[in-house]
Amino acid sequence: MTLFLSLALLAALVTFGGSIVVWKLSLKYRLYPKIRERDVHTRPTPRLGGIAMFVGIVVAIGAAAFVSSLGVSRFSNVSIIFENPGQMLAILGAALLIVSMGVADDIWDLDWTTKLAGQFIAGGLIAWQGVTIVSLPIAGITLIPSWLSATLTVFIIVLVMNAVNFIDGLDGLVAGVSLIANGVFFLYTYLLVQQTSPLNYFNLASLLAVIVVGACAGFLPLNWHPAKLFMGDAGALLIGLLTATAAIAVTGTINPISVGFENLFAAFIPILLPFVVLVIPLLDFGLAVVRRLSAGKSPFAADRKHLHHRLLDMGHSHLNAVLILYGWTAVASVGCLLTYVLPTYFGVDSAWAFVFLGVGFLVCAVITLAPLGRRKRLTIAAEERPNASPVAADELEGPAR
């Protein structure tokens, strides 16, 4: 755990320092686009923060590789992560491709087909080097043939990348949601590997997840509302790529037989948890695709109808909208984690995890819908007072843009 936390701290510090450098250079050379109609911010803001995040992630992975080469007994097992250097080189190569393409898009606005092709190439590079979905945990039986495994891997990586990128519309939203999601996923992979491989706590999934946590934490200070710097497509796609890769890697780290039939639900969590922790991005992505296809548009045609836009239109402030989406993500991911932690470590029935989920979702729903009740009260008050003041009427229109 000490090494993992140290790597997260290193990624955070390098990302933070790099973000300041990128921010100042972007302002100096005017490397920022004009404000678009769908944008929420009101002043031109640099969107090349993904470069700093990439540097922080690469430095942290390099530090892990350096530690593995030292031969220190305390960290001897970390070398297992780098036994197949092709896998790590493929992940870094895919990350470099995605970041380069994202930077080009943030500056020149690439065509969506070009971006999608690059995403498939990046996913294919990772699958080609063997980071793929290995098995379904049904009594240890591998149900996925290799060709189907590689295909599913590529599509999942592309799906998650776009889902994360779709919610990048408010200050601090992607960084915070990804920090929560990857933090919970790191805890799960670390605890599960302790159960299945007590002598080896190091694995690729945990390494990628904790480094993403560090990069997001380092970037968030400059991305908090009002943001000085955006991560852009480069950062959002990078986070999506590494989050998906970590989720896929854990299926190859854990032997379903070692989990046992009595813990069958726990064995399925490696498949379920990545989708649960990304419930907000995936939901937003699904709704956007259906909405745009129904309108006869490309699924990648930008609009101003994402979940975060709807929260603003309901009457939530910028900060409140972000915190609400944090809350939904935290409840979903922590609740899923508790289904494993409670029975395994505390001997408590996993049903309490579902109680937590139910209560948490209820609280989130009440907070989310609160402005609608306030708006209804204002409407009734305005109807009862024909000569209502202009201030009351203005309040019905929601926050200024």
Side-chain angles (χ1 to χ4, degrees), residues 27 33 48 56 112 116 127 135 213 231 247 293 310 313 321 357 363 381:
L27 292 179
L48 298 178
W112 71 267
L116 190 61
S135 64
V213 168
M231 66 174 65
L293 290 177
R310 295 181 185 277
D313 293 340
L357 284 169
V363 172

Side-chain angles (χ1 to χ4, degrees), residues 21-386:
V21 173
V22 170
W23 173 52
K24 291 186 175 181
L25 290 176
S26 296
L27 292 179
K28 180 178 180 180
Y29 295 103
R30 299 181 181 275
L31 299 177
Y32 44 78
K34 296 180 180 179
I35 297 177
R36 301 162 297 187
E37 183 179 352
R38 69 180 187 273
D39 288 334
V40 175
H41 61 284
T42 57
R43 63 180 181 181
T45 304
R47 55 179 70 242
L48 298 178
I51 297 175
M53 300 180 77
F54 175 71
V55 173
I57 288 168
V58 170
V59 169
I61 292 177
F66 176 74
V67 170
S68 70
S69 67
L70 294 178
V72 179
S73 58
R74 183 180 179 185
F75 302 127
S76 59
N77 288 332
V78 73
S79 60
I80 294 175
I81 300 176
F82 300 95
E83 281 183 348
N84 185 353
Q87 290 187 349
M88 187 59 73
L89 290 175
I91 293 171
L92 291 175
L96 178 60
L97 171 61
I98 287 299
V99 170
S100 301
M101 184 179 65
V103 169
D105 181 57
D106 290 328
I107 295 177
W108 296 295
D109 197 14
L110 300 179
D111 181 76
W112 71 267
T113 55
T114 302
K115 294 187 287 185
L116 190 61
Q119 293 168 19
F120 273 103
I121 293 173
L125 183 60
I126 292 174
W128 174 54
Q129 286 299 319
V131 184
T132 58
I133 298 173
V134 175
S135 64
L136 289 177
I138 303 177
I141 300 175
T142 301
L143 300 179
I144 306 178
S146 58
W147 66 268
L148 181 56
S149 173
T151 302
L152 286 175
T153 295
V154 173
F155 275 96
I156 288 174
I157 289 176
V158 173
L159 170 66
V160 174
M161 278 195 290
N162 282 285
V164 172
N165 192 34
F166 270 38
I167 68 166
D168 188 18
L170 295 180
D171 300 347
L173 181 55
V174 169
V177 167
S178 299
L179 192 157
I180 295 169
N182 282 278
V184 171
F185 191 72
F186 163 71
L187 288 175
Y188 168 71
T189 57
Y190 183 81
L191 294 174
L192 187 57
V193 170
Q194 279 187 330
Q195 293 291 316
T196 57
S197 304
L199 299 179
N200 175 30
Y201 296 172
F202 298 102
N203 61 88
L204 179 60
S206 297
L207 175 67
L208 293 178
V210 80
I211 287 178
V212 169
V213 168
C216 290
F219 179 71
L220 198 53
L222 273 78
N223 191 230
W224 194 252
H225 184 66
K228 295 181 176 65
L229 181 66
F230 297 147
M231 66 174 65
D233 278 13
L237 293 175
L238 174 64
I239 290 175
L241 174 76
L242 296 181
T243 300
T245 303
I248 290 166
V250 78
T251 67
T253 301
I254 300 167
N255 182 359
I257 298 177
S258 65
V259 178
F261 185 80
E262 66 279 5
N263 292 322
L264 190 59
F265 182 77
F268 270 106
I269 294 182
I271 298 173
L272 298 175
L273 189 58
F275 293 95
V276 172
V277 298
L278 293 174
V279 61
I280 296 299
L282 291 173
L283 177 62
D284 190 40
F285 177 78
L287 292 174
V289 170
V290 172
R291 180 176 66 247
R292 293 166 186 175
L293 290 177
S294 300
K297 299 179 180 179
S298 163
F300 297 96
D303 59 26
R304 198 188 177 284
K305 297 182 180 179
H306 291 286
L307 293 178
H308 49 273
H309 291 137
R310 295 181 185 277
L311 287 174
L312 293 177
D313 293 340
M314 287 172 60
H316 288 289
S317 67
H318 192 121
L319 179 59
N320 285 347
V322 171
L323 294 178
I324 286 171
L325 293 174
Y326 284 2
W328 282 103
T329 301
V331 169
S333 53
V334 172
C336 189
L337 178 65
L338 289 177
T339 60
Y340 171 71
V341 171
L342 290 180
T344 303
Y345 288 90
F346 301 99
V348 178
D349 195 310
S350 60
W352 286 104
F354 293 99
V355 173
F356 171 84
L357 284 169
V359 174
F361 284 151
L362 179 60
V363 172
C364 288
V366 170
I367 296 174
T368 301
L369 299 175
L372 296 180
R374 176 174 175 270
R375 181 171 296 183
K376 184 177 181 179
R377 291 194 301 271
L378 290 173
T379 301
I380 294 174
E383 292 175 350
E384 293 177 349
R385 292 182 299 162

